[in-house]
Amino acid sequence: MKVGNDGANDKRPNDARPGGGSGDGLPLTAREQRFDIRIARDGTWFHEGDPIRRIELVKLFATVLRRDEAGDFWLVTPVERGRIVVEDTPFVAVEMAASGGGDEQLLSFRTNLDEWVECGPDHPIRVVHNPENGEPTPYILIRNGLEARILRPVYYEMVDRADTRGHDGEAEVGVWSKKVFFALGRLPGG
């Protein structure tokens, strides 16, 4: 399986390539490698087509995972970097904890790699609706452009805690966390 584009396999220093430096915020001194790593939609990491079964190794890789301005995913160390394939998001939110209520509510999410984040201005929720069937897919920002897709059962827990507020003749449904309202969708006739 080929990972990345032809430029990802170019071993010349970045400043010797057409276009000069990387401009992607990744270290210029890191040598590009070809990594046959893929993160499946369910959050499973694969190397050369086989799942990586050691969670400690996946957690280590996740610490050097970066996303550039073009939306490509990289594993980056001081000496090498390699583009990897991510089918949807690198993480999956598998659990939610809630405390408080109303705009004082705090929602926390646990990823498939046991990392907890508190939803708020630094870790916002966004919902993408499928244009064909309208089905929502919610995401939460984990860090530096890296998101977790919120699993359907966790999303239903959020909906159970949702508030409705009127806006431009429609009702907006969403959840509060750290005094920020995160819209999950709209209902006509609000």
Side-chain angles (χ1 to χ4, degrees):
M1 170 170 72
K2 180 179 177 184
V3 177
N5 61 23
D6 291 334
N9 297 318
D10 189 342
K11 302 297 185 231
R12 293 176 288 176
N14 286 324
D15 56 359
R17 295 183 193 178
S22 72
D24 57 14
L26 302 177
L28 293 175
T29 58
R31 199 179 75 207
E32 281 189 17
Q33 299 291 313
R34 182 172 184 261
F35 296 154
D36 189 0
I37 294 178
R38 174 178 63 90
I39 304 174
R41 189 171 195 277
D42 69 357
T44 303
W45 289 55
F46 290 86
H47 179 254
E48 296 181 349
D50 293 324
I52 301 174
R53 289 181 167 64
R54 292 190 54 218
I55 189 70
E56 297 82 9
L57 186 57
V58 171
K59 287 180 179 182
L60 178 63
F61 283 150
T63 65
V64 296
L65 182 62
R66 304 289 182 268
R67 188 171 192 186
D68 66 19
E69 292 172 1
D72 294 326
F73 293 90
W74 299 79
L75 294 181
V76 180
T77 71
V79 295
E80 65 183 358
R81 66 182 183 157
R83 193 181 315 252
I84 67 169
V85 174
V86 177
E87 291 180 359
D88 186 12
T89 59
F91 308 112
V92 179
V94 297
E95 181 181 352
M96 182 184 80
S99 62
D103 67 351
E104 297 291 327
Q105 179 171 251
L106 173 62
L107 300 178
S108 300
F109 294 85
R110 182 176 65 85
T111 72
N112 55 317
L113 299 183
D114 292 325
E115 182 176 353
W116 282 93
V117 294
E118 293 180 347
C119 177
D122 295 333
H123 301 282
I125 292 172
R126 73 180 178 98
V127 178
V128 176
H129 290 86
N130 182 316
E132 294 177 14
N133 60 20
E135 183 175 315
T137 302
Y139 299 91
I140 184 167
L141 181 64
I142 302 300
R143 66 177 174 279
N144 303 324
L146 302 175
E147 293 180 309
R149 182 175 48 82
I150 299 172
L151 288 181
R152 185 74 47 204
V154 178
Y155 178 67
Y156 291 150
E157 285 182 59
M158 283 180 12
V159 170
D160 283 345
R161 301 188 69 83
D163 286 337
T164 304
R165 64 183 191 179
H167 182 69
D168 294 334
E170 292 185 326
E172 189 172 47
V173 178
V175 291
W176 289 94
S177 189
K178 288 191 169 181
K179 297 187 182 270
V180 178
F181 187 79
F182 296 97
L184 302 178
R186 294 184 179 272
L187 300 173

